[in-house]
Amino acid sequence: VLMAPTEVLARQHYRTFGTLLAKSQVRTVLLTGGLTGSERETALSQIASGEVDVVIGTQAIVSGKVKFKNLALVVIDEQHKFGVRQRSVLKETGADPHYLVMTATPIPRTMTMTMYGDLDVSTIKESPPGRQKLNTYWAKEPEQQRKWWEFYRRKLKEGRQGYCIVPLVEESENWDAASLNTTYEELANGELHAYRLGLLHGRMSPAEKDSAMQKFNSGETQVLVATSVVEVGVDVPNATVMTIRGAERFGLAQLHQLRGRIHRGAFPGYCCVFAEPQSEESSQRLDAFVASTDGFELAEKDFEFRGPGDLLGTRQHGLPPLRIADLQRDQSIVVEARGDAQRFVAIDPELQLPENALLQRMVMNRYGKALSLGDVG
């Protein structure tokens, strides 16, 4: 199984697998919420009977109606976009399947699991061949923002394309962040009035999304004004400039993923955030984003800002259920304790020996209901 967070990305993976496996005997099937009733029933039947070897889809895969004949491998793309329960459903479905999660921005929970030794990590530190530098700025003053738009227009005149990202589709009484529609009107009548703009957001129908993306892919649209729906699965190498308005409303992982949209081809990428942070932590988060393009370094910062999450629970960030220890401050002690625990488990994994009866009772009282989530990455 390969599970992706959006239908756009799932279909992209499905096409890629189709090309790679075209001359093989491996059979693939797509399972997403966008399938018709008959298409879905056919896919479910093929999965249950074992007629297909690879299932590619969205969270429709964990809807509860999917039955696997012999699930052996689970791959989750863009892990940070799924909740712990969603990821655990797949892990518990087959006969103890192998499990691989992929992300450019590990969530705090992942960093915690790495410390505890419950997760093996492989890191790709180099960009693909030919990729150019990715530059990030924070325009804090009106004059800086004016100069940024001048630079943005210059890149469009050179033939490049761009994004403008906002956190909301519509205005809200509870949010003062820029909305998509307001931003679109402002740009169309102001800074980008001479250019062809398009809209993309999650409330559009699949057909409307496809149309918007096709126009952007072909170059008919020069600037895509969008919400974070473009965070994953959007690959337009000619798009090299991005403005993120209301950047304080996004988390570090989201900002890093969004910025990744303009680092896809042979041209340098340029990202500028417009933000009005209301707290010192928010300012520090934006400073960290501007200072680094390393996903793991940003994940460490995220860990620092948000806390490591509850390993034996569903919270992916926040304070862990520890009475005294600090997972960052006490890393050396964590490593030592992990070694002791691993040796302990090797001797009595189920805590069945008489001398461990009290320990087993304490573990079950405190963690019994959540033990199945302990190794969900």
Side-chain angles (χ1 to χ4, degrees), residues 95-109:
D96 193 23
H98 294 283
Y99 196 72
L100 172 68
V101 295
M102 303 188 295
T103 180
T105 45
I107 54 177
R109 177 189 179 88

Side-chain angles (χ1 to χ4, degrees), residues 115 325-340:
M115 284 185 187
D326 180 304
L327 288 179
Q328 279 194 302
R329 182 195 65 210
D330 303 324
Q331 282 194 37
S332 61
I333 300 175
V334 170
V335 171
E336 187 176 345
R338 182 178 70 201
D340 289 342

Side-chain angles (χ1 to χ4, degrees), residues 92-342:
E92 295 165 0
T93 302
D96 193 23
H98 294 283
Y99 196 72
L100 172 68
V101 295
M102 303 188 295
T103 180
T105 45
I107 54 177
R109 177 189 179 88
T110 304
M111 306 303 287
T112 307
M113 291 183 69
T114 304
M115 284 185 187
Y116 275 122
D118 295 321
L119 199 64
D120 293 325
V121 177
S122 298
T123 308
I124 302 173
K125 294 202 170 184
E126 296 179 354
S127 297
R131 291 278 177 95
Q132 300 298 308
K133 186 179 179 183
L134 181 55
N135 307 274
T136 307
Y137 314 98
W138 179 1
K140 299 182 181 181
E141 305 295 335
E143 179 61 16
Q144 292 175 323
Q145 295 179 7
R146 184 188 66 78
K147 288 183 177 180
W148 164 253
W149 284 121
E150 286 181 0
F151 175 81
Y152 194 106
R153 289 192 295 270
R154 188 157 69 246
K155 289 299 172 184
L156 296 179
K157 288 177 184 176
E158 291 174 4
R160 306 287 78 77
Q161 292 166 268
Y163 299 92
C164 184
I165 308 298
V166 295
L168 296 173
V169 176
E170 298 171 351
E171 296 287 5
S172 167
E173 293 180 2
N174 300 320
W175 294 64
D176 56 4
S179 78
L180 191 73
N181 294 324
T182 300
T183 298
Y184 182 89
E185 293 298 328
E186 287 178 357
L187 294 176
N189 295 302
E191 300 288 359
L192 301 177
H193 71 277
Y195 300 93
R196 301 182 299 276
L197 275 58
L199 273 173
L200 183 67
H201 58 79
R203 297 182 190 176
M204 297 166 70
S205 69
E208 289 172 329
K209 289 179 189 174
D210 285 343
S211 175
M213 281 311 306
Q214 285 175 11
K215 289 179 180 178
F216 192 54
N217 269 307
S218 69
E220 180 181 342
T221 297
Q222 292 171 287
V223 178
L224 194 61
V225 184
T227 58
S228 59
V229 69
V230 300
E231 182 183 336
V232 293
V234 175
D235 186 5
V236 182
N238 192 48
T240 62
V241 284
M242 173 179 285
T243 307
I244 304 179
R245 297 185 65 179
E248 72 278 5
R249 303 292 185 182
F250 296 103
L252 259 180
Q254 266 193 315
L255 288 170
H256 185 58
Q257 290 284 348
L258 287 166
R259 175 173 59 183
R261 300 312 100 203
I262 54 167
H263 191 217
R264 317 296 295 182
F267 302 102
Y270 301 90
C271 175
C272 186
V273 295
F274 292 7
E276 296 180 5
Q278 302 300 307
S279 68
E280 181 63 25
E281 182 184 307
S282 182
S283 293
Q284 290 176 350
R285 190 168 67 243
L286 290 167
D287 285 334
F289 172 65
V290 172
S292 176
T293 57
D294 185 311
F296 257 83
E297 186 177 328
L298 292 175
E300 290 278 7
K301 285 290 183 183
D302 208 16
F303 184 105
E304 188 179 312
F305 292 140
R306 297 200 292 163
D310 185 354
L311 192 63
L312 294 175
T314 57
R315 290 185 302 119
Q316 307 201 106
H317 58 82
L319 294 176
L322 301 174
R323 305 289 167 84
I324 299 172
D326 180 304
L327 288 179
Q328 279 194 302
R329 182 195 65 210
D330 303 324
Q331 282 194 37
S332 61
I333 300 175
V334 170
V335 171
E336 187 176 345
R338 182 178 70 201
D340 289 342
Q342 288 170 338

Side-chain angles (χ1 to χ4, degrees), residues 29 36-49 51-52:
V29 69
T36 65
S38 60
E39 289 173 334
R40 181 176 176 78
E41 289 305 315
T42 298
L44 291 174
S45 173
Q46 291 175 331
I47 295 167
S49 66
E51 290 177 51
V52 292

